[in-house]
Amino acid sequence: MSLSDDLYRETILDHYHEPRNHGVIDVPTTTVEGVNPLCGDELTLYLNVSADGKIEDIKMTAHGCSINTASGSMMSEAIYGQSVERAREIIETFKEMMLTKGDTEALGGDLEDLEALRGVKKYPVRIKCALLPWNTLLEGLDNVKKASV
Ligand code: ZN
């Protein structure tokens, strides 16, 4: 095992043991649930999006494996305070990294934690665990869009 594998594992475990933005929002703009039956991962995502399209708050409760919880935690940090447009960019780049061979470099240096999840690609069955929070967030952003039309 290489040194970077160790570092990646540490980042993932850190987010798993102390998930960022864990909890609920009492009056959210939208709430979405995501399930990954393959692994038993379940999460609920709460979003507050301002009228001008900024993600003002995100909270999450997750009952799942370490990859799912860590991925959700890192995602919440990456998109907190961002515009919906930027969040979609981040989601797309992350999914591309997980499903093809891209990386997060195009997004700038502040998202390098997400690179830790790239190691998950070695275990194809776990990719769904890592993607669940992101696909759930996409659904949430679509809900917000529909509601504002
Ligand atoms: Zn899982």
Side-chain angles (χ1 to χ4, degrees):
M1 194 195 310
S2 70
L3 177 65
S4 67
D5 280 347
D6 277 348
L7 284 176
Y8 283 172
R9 183 160 305 159
E10 236 168 77
T11 306
I12 288 173
L13 285 178
D14 177 51
H15 279 270
Y16 174 55
H17 290 304
E18 275 177 66
R20 322 300 196 258
N21 301 301
H22 175 86
V24 303
I25 296 175
D26 287 335
V27 190
T29 315
T30 189
T31 310
V32 216
E33 283 172 28
V35 180
N36 169 19
L38 280 180
C39 175
D41 301 320
E42 285 178 25
L43 65 90
T44 308
L45 198 66
Y46 305 83
L47 286 174
N48 262 349
V49 180
S50 68
D52 61 348
K54 196 175 155 211
I55 298 170
E56 291 185 316
D57 202 1
I58 172 168
K59 288 258 190 313
M60 195 175 331
T61 55
H63 302 280
C65 66
S66 56
I67 303 292
N68 174 55
T69 305
S71 181
S73 171
M74 289 182 203
M75 178 187 81
S76 72
E77 278 197 319
I79 64 133
Y80 191 97
Q82 306 282 2
S83 66
V84 168
E85 211 173 309
R86 170 75 174 160
R88 284 184 183 278
E89 243 173 60
I90 297 171
I91 295 167
E92 209 161 292
T93 305
F94 179 77
K95 287 179 75 168
E96 218 172 270
M97 177 182 88
M98 295 306 289
L99 296 171
T100 63
K101 51 187 186 235
D103 56 35
T104 61
E105 219 162 276
L107 293 171
D110 52 336
L111 296 171
E112 59 193 21
D113 262 17
L114 294 178
E115 294 278 332
L117 290 164
R118 213 203 311 210
V120 172
K121 288 167 77 174
K122 276 185 274 179
Y123 314 97
V125 69
R126 311 306 295 280
I127 293 177
K128 282 203 162 63
C129 303
L131 287 179
L132 177 66
W134 300 79
N135 286 327
T136 308
L137 173 62
L138 263 186
E139 203 181 309
L141 295 179
D142 285 346
N143 286 349
V144 172
K145 198 171 161 195
K146 269 180 230 142
S148 65
V149 173

